[in-house]
Amino acid sequence: MKEVANVLPMNILLLTRYDRLGASSRYRFYQFLPFLEKKALSFKVSFLLSDSYLQNLYQRNRLNSFLTVLFAYVKRSLVLLSSRRFDLVWIEKELFPWLPAFLELPLLRLGPPYIVDYDDAIFHNYDQHRSSIIRKIFGNKIEKVMRGAAAVVSGNRYIADYAREAGVRLVEIIPTVLDIGKYKEVQRKRNNRFTIGWIGSPSTSRHLRVAGSALKEVCMNGELQLVTVGAHPIDLSNLLASAIPWSEETETEDLRSFNVGIMPLPNTAWERGKCGFKLIQYMACGLPVVASPVGVNKEIVDHGVNGFLADGAKQWIEYLKVLKENPKLCRKMGKAGRKKVEEEYSFQVAAPKLLNLLREAAEV
């Protein structure tokens, strides 16, 4: 990506998927706005789906009615009518989930250049759907949306490769990052009970099943405990786990109560497109990590340096026990992980790249 010297003011229409409760919108968009506004960028922000919608989704109920979604789509359509007043449209994933490209693209072409951001391989929602009709209608939707964009921001190489194959000229990999200044390294006393920690949303806590038998075994005698933050209760029914509700205000303190952070993942196409953000959060707190060797996990975790990659129950048990018995190793791995986040996965590194990309995309 070339350096853009232009410092003229820019007016950007930001179309996120969610309000503040949505982690993808919060970390990939909202956290950058104060920095970008100081660089002469101004924003009109419009989310598609509200916090109440997301809360219902996380509770796995069906209260998200057709009328609620229809209203959200109408509201977004009205917002798009003003898009010509802006220098750039910045979109999270797509304008309208589950609407075909031939309805979405004309709205995009009426306005200024647009840039799309992906932290998940959402194209697999369509091209790997169990329904052949869905695959036929929507299978290449994201490819077409990407191809029309001035730039694509991808959370990892898996998504970036898809964008390049779609013919996108400007593709920038920007991981989901955090403000390292808001995360303090953990300081734990040796007599504390060894805590295996997991953080995430109710929609992803099903991944704990990948290491379920191992977690159950190592926690059986009470020397180790599993603590989850943000998990759905149904996914903990067969685990010896303590559950903490997620809160933005207490998130970092909850993380600092862990001795090790874990990220089990099944080896599927969707999971290979994940961004591994929970690993980055653990490492920012100076924690060692244990993760499945799937997708971007293999880039974030340097096996034996800042944590371990565990493939199968036997390795999950082995590595968790090794860390439990070796406080010195935990501290060494934690420091290595913290250093890697500072150098590669921090807001401080990503924000200037994003600023440059937005300016370059607006000039297309």
Side-chain angles (χ1 to χ4, degrees):
M1 184 175 67
K2 67 180 182 180
E3 289 292 327
V4 179
N6 182 10
V7 293
L8 294 175
M10 276 181 57
N11 195 17
I12 297 175
L13 176 59
L14 173 54
L15 302 174
T16 61
R17 174 72 60 99
Y18 305 111
D19 200 355
R20 286 284 310 178
L21 188 60
S24 60
S25 301
R26 189 169 66 254
Y27 282 105
R28 295 192 68 80
F29 298 89
Y30 299 141
Q31 75 163 327
F32 290 104
L33 297 188
F35 168 84
L36 295 171
E37 287 169 344
K38 290 178 181 177
K39 303 297 182 180
L41 276 64
S42 60
F43 297 89
K44 175 181 173 61
V45 181
S46 181
F47 60 83
L48 179 65
L49 300 169
S50 67
D51 283 346
S52 60
Y53 176 97
L54 203 55
Q55 286 168 339
N56 287 331
L57 185 67
Y58 285 162
Q59 291 165 11
R60 302 183 188 179
N61 61 40
R62 298 299 178 185
L63 296 179
N64 294 313
S65 69
F66 172 78
L67 289 178
T68 300
V69 176
L70 179 61
F71 175 78
Y73 280 32
V74 171
K75 185 187 76 169
R76 171 150 290 185
S77 299
L78 293 174
V79 170
L80 284 165
L81 294 178
S82 66
S83 64
R84 290 185 178 180
R85 297 192 292 106
F86 298 89
D87 300 303
L88 184 71
V89 179
W90 186 13
I91 304 165
E92 182 176 2
K93 299 179 174 74
E94 57 191 325
L95 289 179
F96 303 102
W98 300 102
L99 282 189
F102 69 81
L103 293 176
E104 186 163 316
L105 289 175
L107 291 170
L108 288 169
R109 289 167 181 156
L110 289 174
Y114 69 90
I115 180 172
V116 278
D117 183 290
Y118 301 92
D119 70 330
D120 281 318
I122 67 161
F123 37 85
H124 288 326
N125 284 340
Y126 301 131
D127 62 21
Q128 294 193 1
H129 198 277
R130 62 181 179 274
S131 167
S132 60
I133 296 175
I134 294 295
R135 294 197 301 271
K136 183 174 180 60
I137 296 173
F138 296 95
N140 61 356
K141 177 190 175 178
I142 301 303
E143 178 183 343
K144 290 181 177 179
V145 171
M146 285 180 168
R147 193 180 299 129
V152 167
V153 184
S154 62
N156 56 53
R157 185 175 292 109
Y158 185 85
I159 299 170
D161 288 345
Y162 182 92
R164 293 187 181 104
E165 289 175 9
V168 181
R169 180 187 65 83
L170 181 57
V171 180
E172 182 77 7
I173 298 176
I174 298 181
T176 305
V177 299
L178 49 76
D179 184 346
I180 195 70
K182 295 181 179 180
Y183 287 74
K184 297 179 181 178
E185 292 185 71
V186 66
Q187 299 290 335
R188 291 184 61 85
K189 297 178 181 178
R190 292 191 178 186
N191 60 352
N192 283 12
R193 193 176 179 192
F194 192 88
T195 300
I196 303 164
W198 179 94
I199 192 169
S201 72
S203 64
T204 60
S205 54
R206 66 185 186 279
H207 295 154
L208 285 164
R209 301 171 195 165
V210 170
S213 62
L215 293 170
K216 194 171 182 179
E217 180 171 333
V218 297
C219 294
M220 192 71 71
N221 63 7
E223 292 183 9
L224 295 87
Q225 65 175 343
L226 172 63
V227 174
T228 65
V229 178
H232 195 285
I234 197 171
D235 295 320
L236 306 178
S237 57
N238 293 319
L239 294 173
L240 301 172
S242 299
I244 300 173
W246 177 86
S247 165
E248 186 174 1
E249 291 73 27
T250 62
E251 179 180 49
T252 56
E253 284 305 307
D254 291 334
L255 285 163
R256 295 178 72 247
S257 71
F258 301 165
N259 290 95
V260 58
I262 63 170
M263 187 173 177
L265 274 184
N267 191 9
T268 67
W270 175 263
E271 274 66 38
R272 287 193 289 274
K274 301 295 287 183
C275 285
F277 183 62
K278 56 175 56 66
L279 291 176
I280 295 166
Q281 288 184 293
Y282 303 144
M283 289 158 55
C285 292
L287 295 171
V289 297
V290 182
S292 299
V294 175
V296 77
N297 287 7
K298 293 183 288 186
E299 298 178 25
I300 297 173
V301 181
D302 298 316
H303 185 74
V305 178
N306 57 15
F308 295 111
L309 293 168
D311 192 5
K314 184 177 179 180
Q315 289 188 357
W316 276 97
I317 294 168
E318 176 188 352
Y319 296 141
L320 290 171
K321 287 185 175 180
V322 165
L323 291 171
K324 195 267 179 186
E325 298 299 327
N326 291 271
K328 186 176 180 180
L329 178 62
C330 287
R331 290 193 295 272
K332 182 179 179 181
M333 286 185 162
K335 288 186 178 299
R338 170 86 179 189
K339 185 173 186 291
K340 185 165 186 175
V341 172
E342 290 172 348
E343 295 175 350
E344 300 180 36
Y345 297 102
S346 69
F347 168 91
Q348 288 75 7
V349 171
K353 292 181 181 179
L354 179 60
L355 171 64
N356 198 46
L357 181 67
L358 291 171
R359 291 204 175 278
E360 183 175 354
E363 293 180 354
V364 172

